[in-house]
Amino acid sequence: MKFTKMHGIGNDYVYVDCTLQELENPEETARLVSHRHKGIGSDGLILIKKSLEADFEMVMYNGDGSYGKMCGNGIRCVAKYVYDNGLTDRTEITVASGGAVKHLKLTVSQGKVTRVQVNMGEPILKPEEIPVLGAGESLIAEPILIGDREYAMTCVSMGNPHAVVFLEHVKDLKIEELGPKFENHSRFPDRVNTEFVRVIDRKNLEMRVWERGSGETQACGTGACATAVAAVLNGYTDREVTVHLLGGDLDICWSQEDNCVYMTGPAATVFRGEVDLEELR
């Protein structure tokens, strides 16, 4: 299998160009290639395909082989791949993922994509559409009992479910203990991504993320978008913020004009290669 390793501020995936080759059993392939010691090493697997409804389609799998509808950092890398490899010469493209079509604007320097802005669409706040068990039109600073401590979570979907928790400190957080308890809590029918966030000021947020199926990652694009929305809903920040993650920064704008969330950040190619999947089994 030919592949390209790419990352968006440290959120790394193995990318397979399925416009050129077919890939059977992507769930198993995701588990094999994602292993940090016995595989290529990644947060998951992303397939780049042709699409009837957009310029391209992105199909994403987490490191445990589970399907993911959307990945904000991943979709920026898809844009970089298709432009840098000559699959398109346009700097504005559309990419379908999980049944939704996203519009992307590419920044090009010396023939290569360096940054990508993605219209991530409108945030989803209704509990049943996220999904999360709860009453009302939205869950803002909603109490949730994790172990013997109560937390306040704000729930947002950006194509996948997020629970955003604001804390005074996140650097020393034992996320490997706390993250799985949120992810597998009974209030989340499809599990959940959890963002642990410190408010720096009205334009800056510090965030760590526990992604369902992958654990802690260096960054999460949809999580940064959900965090920005949650920060506005709780009155902590303005509508344009920079989210500081372990792997780097993302600029997020929740537009008042169209209610859409715009994410801008870099994308990078690490290396290309070929792997015999039988050798990984």
Side-chain angles (χ1 to χ4, degrees), residues 37-161:
H37 301 291
K38 298 180 180 180
I40 298 167
S42 67
D43 292 325
L45 172 71
I46 289 180
L47 311 181
I48 302 171
K49 297 185 174 185
K50 296 177 181 178
S51 174
L52 296 176
E53 58 181 343
D55 296 318
F56 301 94
E57 181 184 10
M58 177 181 82
V59 183
M60 174 255 187
Y61 296 89
N62 296 304
D64 67 352
S66 59
Y67 171 71
K69 288 186 177 181
M70 182 58 191
C71 176
N73 291 312
I75 202 170
R76 295 200 315 277
C77 290
V78 168
K80 178 175 176 61
Y81 180 92
V82 297
Y83 186 92
D84 289 2
N85 289 278
L87 299 183
T88 184
D89 60 359
R90 293 186 289 115
T91 56
E92 294 192 19
I93 63 171
T94 55
V95 177
S97 179
V101 175
K102 304 300 183 186
H103 295 259
L104 297 83
K105 293 183 179 180
L106 288 56
T107 299
V108 177
S109 177
Q110 298 181 342
K112 302 290 184 181
V113 171
T114 56
R115 291 177 66 82
V116 180
Q117 181 194 77
V118 187
N119 181 345
M120 298 290 286
E122 298 186 43
I124 297 169
L125 302 176
K126 291 185 178 180
E128 63 272 18
E129 295 179 12
I130 290 175
V132 54
L133 301 182
E137 290 297 303
S138 62
L139 296 180
I140 302 172
E142 170 79 4
I144 183 172
L145 187 63
I146 302 293
D148 58 358
R149 177 177 171 180
E150 185 176 270
Y151 293 85
M153 66 175 181
T154 297
C155 295
V156 182
S157 173
M158 293 302 308
N160 49 10

Side-chain angles (χ1 to χ4, degrees), residues 3 10-11 21 32 52 78-79 117 132 134-135 151 158 188 202 239 243 254 262 264 279:
F3 69 90
N11 193 194
Q21 60 184 320
L32 292 173
L52 296 176
V78 168
Q117 181 194 77
V132 54
Y151 293 85
M158 293 302 308
F188 305 107
R202 293 198 62 84
R239 299 178 78 96
V243 181
W254 185 14
Y262 293 84
T264 304
E279 293 289 335

Side-chain angles (χ1 to χ4, degrees), residues 2 9 18 74-75 94 100 118 136 147-148 154 159 180 193 208 225 245 277:
K2 293 182 178 179
I9 58 170
C18 289
I75 202 170
T94 55
V118 187
D148 58 358
T154 297
N193 304 286
R208 291 178 66 185
C225 293
L245 305 103
L277 296 175

Side-chain angles (χ1 to χ4, degrees), residues 127-128 130-133 183 185-192 212:
E128 63 272 18
I130 290 175
V132 54
L133 301 182
E183 177 183 357
H185 196 280
S186 59
R187 293 190 66 177
F188 305 107
D190 296 338
R191 297 186 294 167
V192 76
R212 57 177 182 171

Side-chain angles (χ1 to χ4, degrees), residues 156-226:
V156 182
S157 173
M158 293 302 308
N160 49 10
H162 294 272
V164 183
V165 179
F166 293 96
L167 302 171
E168 291 186 4
H169 305 282
V170 296
K171 283 186 178 179
D172 298 329
L173 183 72
K174 295 182 178 179
I175 196 170
E176 67 280 354
E177 297 178 9
L178 188 56
K181 294 178 181 179
F182 271 93
E183 177 183 357
N184 299 294
H185 196 280
S186 59
R187 293 190 66 177
F188 305 107
D190 296 338
R191 297 186 294 167
V192 76
N193 304 286
T194 310
E195 287 73 39
F196 302 97
V197 185
R198 180 177 73 93
V199 178
I200 300 173
D201 54 40
R202 293 198 62 84
K203 292 188 179 296
N204 292 275
L205 298 166
E206 179 187 10
M207 179 187 120
R208 291 178 66 185
V209 57
W210 183 269
E211 293 198 58
R212 57 177 182 171
S214 295
E216 184 176 23
T217 58
Q218 291 286 298
C220 176
T222 57
C225 293

